[in-house]
Amino acid sequence: MTLRVEAAGDAVVLTIDRLERRNAIDSDLASRLGEAIRRASADPRVRGVVLTATSSDVFVAGGDIRELHALAAGGAEGGEVLRLFEGLSAFEESEVPIVAAVQGDALGGGCELLLLCDFVIVEVHAALSFRHVKMGLSPAWGGLTRLCERVGPLAAARLLLTAERIDAAEALRIGLVSEVVPTGAARSRAIAQVGRIAEGPRASVAAMKRSLREVREALRASAAEVERRAFAEQWNGPEHRRAMDTFLSKK
């Protein structure tokens, strides 16, 4: 099982469970996440989604390098790869808020998942790193645009260009996350936040989410297309292939 789905009060809790791949996101898991979020959004009893993962060590270690390597070896183009992960669009399209309960390190694409969520609650021991540049890539799931929105262009440049690993306190300071909690407390705190959201009318919350999404989309203009094009250009480049080969040889 790669994704566990359970009810908890007003929330649906989605738990990523791919420990053998350090909870890395492959196209199948992206599809499962999208489907689970759409079901939760369509259920009038659900007031929010909590996204978390197994293990106290890692939340999500990025995209699944083994799958990406196989796709590159098979001649897949960058645009084709992006389409395999379209299930992740459900995060912003959802009418119920999504709260990330980060119980371990978020790396690369794992940080991009956090940027798709409305609230991000991180346990104090967790670290975060946008390590895309070390893999010869740029963010693929809208992360570059969303990171600039969330922390501003200067902090975004620092995180993206250096692939610096920051702790939870620094992530809170620059506005990358919403809240830092003690080890073991993220899940319960996220469920409690959904409970607070549930105190308001569901229709009003849904309207607010739609308004926030539409404002962001208006401000972004063509940013998403620029980002997709940058990823596609780097996808088949020698730096990306070399980085994937190095990663897999270390494994």
Side-chain angles (χ1 to χ4, degrees), residues 28-239:
D28 178 68
L29 179 54
S31 177
R32 290 174 185 267
L33 283 167
E35 182 182 347
I37 289 170
R38 290 188 181 96
R39 282 201 305 267
S41 182
D43 187 339
R45 299 168 298 178
V46 175
R47 301 304 308 276
V49 171
V50 172
L51 177 67
T52 189
T54 53
S55 162
S56 61
D57 296 327
V58 62
F59 171 69
V60 169
D64 190 322
I65 300 300
R66 292 183 184 275
E67 180 184 48
L68 296 176
H69 188 271
L71 288 167
E77 297 294 329
E80 179 184 348
V81 174
L82 289 174
R83 286 191 292 274
L84 291 173
F85 292 87
E86 285 180 345
L88 299 179
S89 64
F91 279 75
E92 285 195 334
E93 294 167 0
S94 169
E95 294 207 340
V96 297
I98 300 173
V99 184
V102 185
Q103 82 310 322
D105 295 351
L107 309 171
C111 285
E112 288 197 72
L113 277 189
L114 303 186
L115 295 171
L116 288 166
C117 298
D118 300 289
F119 289 45
V120 181
I121 299 169
V122 180
E123 294 185 6
V124 67
H125 66 279
L128 297 88
S129 174
F130 289 84
R131 60 182 186 181
H132 304 73
V133 72
K134 291 188 174 181
M135 296 303 298
L137 279 178
S138 56
W141 305 331
L144 191 154
T145 304
R146 295 186 183 96
L147 183 61
C148 286
E149 290 172 349
R150 187 164 294 185
V151 304
L154 289 178
R158 166 193 160 198
L159 294 174
L160 291 169
L161 297 178
T162 68
E164 179 182 355
R165 189 181 180 95
I166 62 172
D167 61 21
E170 176 65 3
L172 180 64
R173 187 189 73 80
I174 65 175
L176 181 57
V177 305
S178 312
E179 188 175 353
V180 176
V181 297
T183 296
R187 185 181 189 275
S188 59
R189 177 61 176 163
I191 293 170
Q193 286 286 44
V194 173
R196 291 188 66 185
I197 291 167
E199 294 173 4
R202 193 181 194 275
S204 297
V205 171
M208 187 68 72
K209 270 215 64 171
R210 284 195 300 273
S211 297
L212 287 167
R213 181 176 68 247
E214 289 168 6
V215 167
R216 286 195 300 264
E217 288 174 350
L219 293 172
R220 286 170 187 168
S222 60
E225 178 55 34
V226 170
E227 190 169 337
R228 285 192 292 269
R229 188 164 61 246
F231 172 84
E233 289 171 354
Q234 296 173 84
W235 167 254
N236 283 319
E239 294 84 0

